[in-house]
Amino acid sequence: MGAGPADEEHTVATESGGSPLVRAVDGRETFRLAVVVGALGVVFGDIGTSPIYTIQTVFNPKDPHPVPISTNNVYGVVSLIFWSLMIIVTVTYVLLVMRVDNDGEGGIMALITLLRSLGGARGLGGARGRRVTAVLAGLGVFGAALFFGDSVITPAISVLSAVEGLKVVQPGLEELIVPITAVIIVGLFSVQRRGTAAVGRLFGPVMFVWFVSIGACGVAGIARHPEILRALSPTYALTFMFGHFGIAFFALTAVVLAVTGAEALYADMGHFGRPAITRDWLLLVLPACVLSYLGQGALLLGDQGAVGSPFFLLAPGWARLPMVLLATAATVIASQAVITGAYSVASQAARLGYLPRLRVVHTSESRIGQIYVPWINWVLMVSVLTLVFAFRSSATLAYAFGMAVTATITITTLLFFYVARTKWGTPLWLVLIGAGCLLAVDLLFLAANLTKLVHGAWLPLLIGLTAFTVMTTWQRGRAIVTRSRGQAEGPLRAFVDQLHDCRPPLVRVPGTAVFLNRGKQTAPLAMRANVEHNRVLHEHVVILSIDTRPVPRVPDTERTEVDALGYTEDGIVLVTVYFGYMETPNIPDALRLLDPADTEGPIAIEDASYFLSKIELAMGTAPTMAQWRKRLFIAASYITGDAAEYFRLPGERTVIMGSRIDV
């Protein structure tokens, strides 16, 4: 078995992709066209392809709770979609949630680390505040777990909905929709290991063409029936909602599809910056999507028979095949974005101790965000293919989609207002009013999607609960192993004192030994075993502790800290290396930053030997966890990536020494 959960602090988190911000000399963000266009491909792929299937799903006659198609209902649905985009995406995310960042990074995992650092310092405070913070952080972990459900459903529904355009162009091709979708998905996941740097340069321009095209089609539809513009008035949404609540409530399960991908705006904030994302949304993406929805509504006002595929039928006959091809490209981009996001969330979760260390492959020498996580990739591919063959259409799969989206949005909104209260000291009355209004909308969508539980909404909940169980079990098991390991290791300073008092003295051999340690308080198991069994010690010894700070990145000036452990000129030093949760640890590079004056002379990094402690886990009898959770914890440890590779240690100079711990 590979190195287990109590290895040296061990996991990596990197960006989900995209170009970094371009910064001016005065520190203010400047905008280049490449940044704004690049954000289109990475950030808006999911939400930008929602017009393909949203209105079609609302009026799907096979829905368990069908919405009858009529003039009044078309006005009401289009109005609901427009105001959902305004309230959930524009107000909740763009205007509010994106104001909260963790050193410039967004996303639910960044929000969790921010919550943990706040610790209820303001507002609630004390033990009660810590309990509330822990509960909210747990909700955040569940939200992150739900993202994995989203990562499975998005490629399936997006690619299916695009390929389904073939039956509009040529009805005889309907039987080929599922096989073609499967081939595209297999191809999409198969090329992940090659990286997305080259393809990424095409993402932004393709999405720009996509938004211009759907906006143009929407304008053409509106021109035929301009009265659809009345749907922009909130009175139509309110009349539909409260005048026909029995119908409108169930319509919300499909209306929510219009806001899928809203979380990506927040998750990718650190890659492009809030201003660039805001500009893209307000100036291009929102207008294009609204025009498409209005155009589809106008089409249905004139021809209710077009309800089977209003998005593709909105395009003129000569443009339908090109639109199918463009939609397929756009949905592949949307899928690519969410797949890369899954890599990022898994890496960050591992870095924060919620998942085992995963093997991460960097596919670009210049962009750290271009990563590939093999284990996550193949699990996602199998899961997505299973959904495609099980559901076979985007309409039936849509029942499952909204559940993960609404739950994640609700959790994010709740966490935002807690941060607003504790970090900014926002008046309680204002927090209650704001949270009350926005959460009322979120909870209404969540309640509506709960009615689809038996029709597929159970799927993302099952995926989320499974991921949440794995994450919390790993966190709990890791804490248990860490405690047991601490007892086996013993205090570090006492161990160093014993080395000085050892009789006969230990043999000191030439060279440098670097012992990776999980903390600063206990002695490395590998070092203790080496001393006790071999009775030798290198001339220079570095006990290396890795500390993950709750910030995305740590500057090189703050990278290392040296402690002589109370002795001078004995060749033994404790070095603490700090990394942010978005960084890839590189131990040799970090050691090169050390000042020889702090380490009792220069350390021969190029010839140093590295010692890792390997933990063999076994089922124990202590009532630390339920037996099934112990089995799950041990099983999860088998997917742990290679520690030497992860830390960028030279394989020919790395020694692994093991011990056994019962859980």
Side-chain angles (χ1 to χ4, degrees):
M1 179 170 62
D7 290 343
E8 295 70 32
E9 295 304 320
H10 49 41
T11 46
V12 60
T14 50
E15 304 145 279
S16 62
S19 303
L21 284 172
V22 180
R23 296 187 180 273
V25 174
D26 62 1
R28 281 190 255 170
E29 296 164 358
T30 61
F31 299 93
R32 292 180 181 172
L33 184 61
V35 177
V36 177
V37 174
L40 288 177
V42 175
V43 179
F44 297 102
D46 193 357
I47 199 168
T49 53
S50 295
I52 298 175
Y53 46 78
T54 299
I55 289 183
Q56 170 186 323
T57 303
V58 172
F59 294 111
N60 179 17
K62 297 181 181 179
D63 191 288
H65 306 95
V67 177
I69 185 167
S70 66
T71 298
N72 288 336
N73 287 354
V74 169
Y75 279 116
V77 166
V78 174
S79 188
L80 268 181
I81 290 174
F82 172 72
W83 286 103
S84 296
L85 288 170
M86 296 304 295
I87 293 173
I88 294 177
V89 183
T90 306
V91 175
T92 300
Y93 278 92
V94 174
L95 296 182
L96 294 178
V97 174
M98 288 178 63
R99 293 180 181 273
V100 178
D101 67 272
N102 188 10
D103 281 7
E105 295 294 337
I108 200 161
M109 294 307 296
L111 194 54
I112 291 171
T113 60
L114 184 60
L115 281 170
R116 288 165 61 174
S117 66
L118 287 174
R122 300 180 65 177
L124 297 175
R128 182 186 174 197
R130 287 191 293 272
R131 286 195 298 270
V132 171
T133 300
V135 171
L136 291 176
L139 276 176
V141 173
F142 183 61
L146 286 173
F147 182 80
F148 290 112
D150 191 14
S151 301
V152 172
I153 298 174
T154 294
I157 191 173
S158 297
V159 179
L160 260 176
S161 64
V163 179
E164 282 170 351
L166 288 174
K167 65 183 180 184
V168 176
V169 178
Q170 180 56 259
L173 298 177
E174 185 171 355
E175 293 300 320
L176 297 178
I177 290 175
V178 171
I180 291 174
T181 300
V183 170
I184 292 173
I185 287 172
V186 170
L188 175 64
F189 282 97
S190 296
V191 300
Q192 294 299 313
R193 65 180 182 275
R194 299 186 179 181
T196 58
V199 181
R201 287 193 290 270
L202 299 176
F203 282 7
V206 169
M207 293 308 296
F208 180 80
V209 173
W210 168 256
F211 287 119
V212 171
S213 299
I214 67 173
C217 290
V219 169
I222 295 170
R224 289 193 290 269
H225 296 279
E227 61 271 21
I228 191 63
L229 293 174
R230 298 174 186 170
L232 296 177
S233 170
T235 57
Y236 285 89
L238 293 173
T239 300
F240 181 58
M241 196 70 220
F242 295 104
H244 306 83
F245 185 78
I247 296 175
F249 178 72
F250 293 112
L252 292 178
T253 61
V255 170
V256 74
L257 299 177
V259 300
T260 57
E263 181 66 20
L265 276 68
Y266 186 37
D268 290 314
M269 185 173 66
H271 309 153
F272 299 97
R274 179 173 174 256
I277 293 175
T278 301
R279 290 186 184 189
D280 274 349
W281 172 250
L282 295 178
L283 298 181
L284 179 61
V285 180
L286 177 61
C289 290
V290 170
L291 288 173
S292 179
Y293 289 124
L294 289 170
Q296 292 179 58
L299 176 66
L300 295 180
L301 289 180
D303 179 13
Q304 294 184 0
V307 70
S309 186
F311 176 82
F312 289 107
L313 291 174
L314 188 61
W318 61 267
R320 286 173 186 167
L321 182 57
M323 183 60 75
V324 170
L325 298 177
L326 182 59
T328 302
T331 54
V332 167
I333 291 172
S335 302
Q336 176 64 60
V338 79
I339 291 167
T340 309
Y343 298 158
S344 181
V345 170
S347 297
Q348 292 180 46
R351 185 71 169 170
L352 294 172
Y354 291 105
L355 285 176
R357 180 185 61 250
L358 300 169
R359 179 172 174 256
V360 176
V361 178
H362 291 264
T363 57
S364 171
E365 294 182 0
S366 59
R367 298 172 67 183
I368 193 173
Q370 300 293 345
I371 65 171
Y372 168 62
V373 184
W375 195 86
I376 295 293
N377 184 73
W378 300 120
V379 169
L380 283 180
M381 189 189 78
V382 172
S383 302
V384 172
L385 287 174
T386 300
L387 291 191
V388 169
F389 286 108
F391 287 85
R392 304 189 68 81
S393 77
S394 61
T396 53
L397 196 54
Y399 305 151
F401 204 9
M403 193 71 246
V405 174
T406 53
T408 302
I409 290 173
T410 303
I411 292 171
T412 301
T413 304
L414 184 63
L415 298 186
F416 163 77
F417 280 104
Y418 179 76
V419 171
R421 174 64 178 158
T422 56
K423 183 178 181 181
W424 300 336
T426 305
L428 183 59
W429 65 269
L430 185 58
V431 169
L432 292 177
I433 292 175
C437 294
L438 294 181
L439 284 174
V441 174
D442 297 343
L443 291 172
L444 193 60
F445 275 106
L446 184 61
N449 277 275
L450 286 173
T451 65
K452 303 294 188 184
L453 270 179
V454 297
H455 304 289
W458 56 268
L459 179 63
L461 281 182
L462 177 63
I463 296 173
L465 286 171
T466 301
F468 181 75
T469 301
V470 171
M471 293 166 77
T472 53
T473 297
W474 184 263
Q475 183 193 39
R476 172 63 178 160
R478 188 167 174 266
I480 293 170
V481 171
T482 298
R483 187 165 55 247
S484 299
R485 179 172 178 170
Q487 297 172 355
E489 291 171 333
L492 175 59
R493 292 188 182 273
F495 176 66
V496 174
D497 290 341
Q498 292 175 7
L499 297 181
H500 283 272
D501 297 334
C502 185
R503 294 293 181 270
L506 294 172
V507 176
R508 303 298 291 264
V509 297
T512 299
V514 180
F515 292 91
L516 273 69
N517 199 26
R518 63 184 182 83
K520 297 185 287 187
Q521 305 302 320
T522 59
L525 281 176
M527 184 177 178
R528 184 179 288 277
N530 191 49
V531 168
E532 292 178 353
H533 296 288
N534 299 328
R535 305 296 297 173
V536 297
L537 203 61
H538 285 70
E539 182 181 5
H540 295 286
V541 175
V542 176
I543 301 172
L544 188 71
S545 170
I546 299 171
D547 192 341
T548 303
R549 288 182 171 176
V551 296
R553 298 171 187 84
V554 174
D556 282 348
T557 54
E558 302 174 13
R559 179 73 66 197
T560 59
E561 179 182 314
V562 179
D563 184 348
L565 298 172
Y567 295 91
T568 59
E569 299 181 356
D570 68 343
I572 303 175
V573 294
L574 169 65
V575 175
T576 304
V577 179
Y578 297 99
F579 292 104
Y581 66 88
M582 294 289 287
E583 293 186 287
T584 302
N586 188 313
I587 298 306
D589 283 355
L591 291 177
R592 290 186 182 96
L593 298 174
L594 291 171
D595 186 343
D598 296 330
T599 58
E600 303 174 16
I603 297 176
I605 302 301
E606 305 307 325
D607 298 318
S609 298
Y610 297 87
F611 292 82
L612 293 172
S613 303
K614 173 185 174 183
I615 299 299
E616 187 76 24
L617 300 177
M619 291 281 291
T621 58
T624 52
M625 286 193 297
Q627 291 296 309
W628 67 268
R629 294 191 76 181
K630 290 183 178 182
R631 294 188 182 94
L632 175 61
F633 177 66
I634 294 174
S637 70
Y638 282 92
I639 68 173
T640 301
D642 180 73
E645 178 184 357
Y646 168 75
F647 288 119
R648 304 295 190 269
L649 303 181
E652 70 280 4
R653 289 185 281 113
T654 300
V655 179
I656 298 176
M657 306 181 73
S659 62
R660 169 175 167 154
I661 289 182
D662 292 338
V663 295

